[in-house]
Amino acid sequence: MDFKIIYDKLQSNIVVVGEFEAPKQALELIEILDSQYMQNINISFWGANVIPQIVVEKLFIMQKQKKCTISVIKRYLYSYLQNIGVRCKYIEKKFTLKKSNENLLDKREILNKEEVYKFLNELNSIYGYDYTEYQIDSIMRRLNIAMIKEGITSFKSFREQVINNETFFHNLFLDFSINTTEFFRDPKVFALIKTKILPYLNSYNHIKIWCAGCSNGKEVYSLAIMLKEAGILNKTQIYATDINPYVIQEAKNGMYSSSTLDKDISNYRIALGEKNFIEYFDINDSYIKVKEELKKNILFFQHSLLSNGTLNEFNLILCRNVFIYFNDSLQEKILKNFNNSLENHGFLVMGKSEGIQRNNGEKYFCKYDEKLKVYKKR
């Protein structure tokens, strides 16, 4: 869907079609909003899953002034805006096969693993996303969730819709994407990074770090805070990647609900943070925004861990709570890639439920702190 802005000045309507793909598109919308002096304008987003920071902030200000109403058709954008306090109306597209969700748990089919594997191969062939080596039980749970959301009880009907309708696949892609995170999640891990790993990395003239599966960026900014307090952020380049392009835009925006602020502050203190956590953010009514000084050495971009080849030569890789969704074979492939992407004596940090025992990871890594799932390249 090509991007365009349809502005009906007489009816006080703005329709934004498609995803924002360039900074000038956001500036074009801001210019239109600044040029009109009407009491209220209706803004509809037809196709965008997430919108740039500058647009979000403008909408927030206009809502406070009671100068706009907002409608969206993508549930991802609806959830994002609602979470940071921008009120909007969700307009659900109606599909011919959609039924009431009432009693769907009782009526839905029991999925067959063989049929699901065949379906995953079709997705890879048609859309280019390979889920064939994900944990099959996790995939089947998420397929059940997706079918309930779409109001479809028959897997055959659901499969046909996904194969033939890109919108259905898009929704399934979002259901397959895992984006659970928080600032300084598992704070003792960050305390170890602060006290043990960063002093070692400080011996390098230039530091490269990869946050793989970075979700909406909270882990990345947590790391940037640690680096700044250690006085080495300026000589560090952080690569932050995720398969989901929409969480990448969220991460670039750096805007988060203030409802978790108490937990964020607690995690920061346990992680041995040295200052006041909120010093690193601009605080607004319903959200906090990462200050630009933390962003300048971070490069966010879409990337699949299933891709072949090395990304760079890193001193530290964080890939936490991602492997739990992959089978052992895929985990080994990625560990081999991480090994090739680390320079000698580089560190790998994994999630608390992950490790290197079941996936032949000991061929590539040795234990540094097994309890906290920190490893070093052999």
Side-chain angles (χ1 to χ4, degrees):
M1 187 185 298
D2 293 335
F3 181 89
K4 59 182 176 180
I5 300 174
I6 304 170
Y7 177 30
D8 185 341
K9 190 171 183 179
L10 293 177
Q11 297 296 322
S12 302
N13 284 327
I14 296 175
V15 177
V16 181
V17 180
E19 299 279 4
F20 289 85
E21 296 179 348
K24 66 179 182 179
Q25 295 169 339
L27 294 175
E28 180 185 354
L29 177 58
I30 296 298
E31 186 177 345
I32 293 173
L33 294 175
D34 284 340
S35 68
Q36 58 82 29
Y37 301 98
M38 292 168 285
Q39 182 63 29
N40 191 294
I41 190 163
N42 302 309
I43 308 170
S44 300
F45 292 94
W46 295 86
N49 287 276
V50 68
I51 54 182
Q53 173 191 313
I54 187 174
V55 176
V56 177
E57 291 182 302
K58 184 65 176 179
L59 296 178
F60 190 84
I61 292 170
M62 291 182 69
Q63 279 204 335
K64 286 190 68 174
Q65 298 171 343
K66 298 182 179 180
K67 288 188 175 180
C68 75
T69 57
I70 304 166
S71 300
V72 302
I73 67 168
K74 295 291 188 178
R75 67 177 186 232
Y76 194 100
L77 180 58
Y78 174 77
S79 297
Y80 175 62
L81 292 178
Q82 290 285 106
N83 186 51
I84 57 177
V86 178
R87 300 181 306 278
C88 54
K89 180 180 179 181
Y90 177 49
I91 303 174
E92 186 175 8
K93 278 189 173 181
K94 302 297 181 181
F95 295 98
T96 56
L97 290 182
K98 200 135 189 178
K99 302 176 182 178
S100 168
N101 285 348
E102 185 178 359
N103 298 323
L104 280 178
L105 285 172
D106 298 327
K107 296 178 181 178
R108 63 184 169 86
E109 293 179 359
I110 297 175
L111 299 181
N112 178 285
K113 287 187 179 181
E114 191 173 317
E115 290 182 355
V116 170
Y117 275 121
K118 181 180 178 181
F119 173 62
L120 296 180
N121 278 299
E122 289 177 310
L123 294 184
N124 188 24
S125 175
I126 296 170
Y127 295 108
Y129 287 93
D130 187 358
Y131 298 103
T132 57
E133 293 186 275
Y134 279 52
Q135 291 280 7
I136 189 62
D137 291 338
S138 175
I139 286 291
M140 291 173 74
R141 283 194 300 271
R142 296 188 177 279
L143 280 172
N144 279 320
I145 292 170
M147 290 171 65
I148 290 170
K149 287 180 179 178
E150 300 295 354
I152 300 175
T153 58
S154 164
F155 181 65
K156 180 180 178 181
S157 297
F158 178 78
R159 172 196 162 277
E160 290 175 354
Q161 288 296 310
V162 174
I163 294 301
N164 297 305
N165 188 319
E166 193 169 348
T167 298
F168 267 83
F169 170 72
H170 174 269
N171 290 337
L172 180 61
F173 168 78
L174 294 179
D175 287 326
F176 280 172
S177 300
I178 314 300
N179 299 312
T180 302
T181 187
E182 61 187 43
F183 284 107
F184 296 96
R185 185 179 186 182
D186 303 324
K188 290 183 179 179
V189 174
F190 280 94
L192 181 142
I193 291 173
K194 177 184 178 67
T195 57
K196 301 291 186 181
I197 296 179
L198 294 189
Y200 173 80
L201 295 185
N202 194 23
S203 63
Y204 290 85
N205 292 326
H206 186 65
I207 303 166
K208 292 182 180 178
I209 299 174
W210 180 13
C211 288
C214 70
S215 187
N216 63 15
K218 287 186 176 182
E219 178 178 84
V220 185
Y221 292 124
S222 299
L223 185 60
I225 289 171
M226 294 277 96
L227 289 161
K228 183 171 178 58
E229 292 185 358
I232 57 177
L233 179 59
N234 286 338
K235 68 173 183 177
T236 302
Q237 178 67 59
I238 303 174
Y239 295 75
T241 67
D242 200 282
I243 192 173
N244 186 334
Y246 312 127
V247 294
I248 289 295
Q249 183 60 57
E250 279 192 58
K252 289 179 180 178
N253 286 354
M255 304 170 74
Y256 306 101
S257 171
S258 59
S259 63
T260 62
L261 199 51
D262 289 343
K263 178 68 181 300
D264 299 334
I265 293 171
S266 175
N267 282 353
Y268 171 71
R269 288 172 178 166
I270 297 171
L272 306 180
E274 299 174 1
K275 297 185 178 180
N276 188 338
F277 176 77
I278 62 174
E279 288 183 18
Y280 299 103
F281 301 86
D282 295 319
I283 310 297
N284 292 278
D285 294 349
S286 59
Y287 66 87
I288 59 176
K289 184 180 72 171
V290 175
K291 288 187 175 179
E292 292 301 316
E293 62 181 344
L294 291 181
K295 294 183 176 183
K296 60 184 180 180
N297 287 24
I298 303 173
L299 178 63
F300 289 103
F301 59 98
Q302 183 184 13
H303 175 267
S304 171
L305 289 176
L306 279 64
S307 301
N308 294 322
T310 59
L311 193 60
N312 210 306
E313 287 192 357
F314 297 99
N315 308 104
L316 169 64
I317 296 176
L318 290 88
C319 183
R320 306 172 65 223
N321 306 300
V322 177
F323 272 38
I324 54 176
Y325 303 105
F326 302 152
N327 66 25
D328 292 346
S329 174
L330 180 56
Q331 289 182 25
E332 182 176 355
K333 291 177 186 177
I334 297 173
L335 284 174
K336 182 179 180 180
N337 189 33
F338 283 162
N339 177 70
N340 293 332
S341 298
L342 279 169
E343 68 169 25
N344 292 335
H345 312 298
F347 294 88
L348 171 66
V349 182
M350 303 180 72
K352 63 180 181 181
S353 299
E354 300 166 335
I356 60 173
Q357 287 77 34
R358 293 173 46 199
N359 45 35
N360 294 317
E362 291 177 345
K363 291 194 301 184
Y364 311 108
F365 296 95
C366 58
K367 298 174 183 176
Y368 182 80
D369 190 311
E370 174 63 15
K371 183 178 179 181
L372 297 178
K373 306 301 180 183
V374 179
Y375 306 94
K376 287 195 74 174
K377 177 175 178 176
R378 285 195 179 278

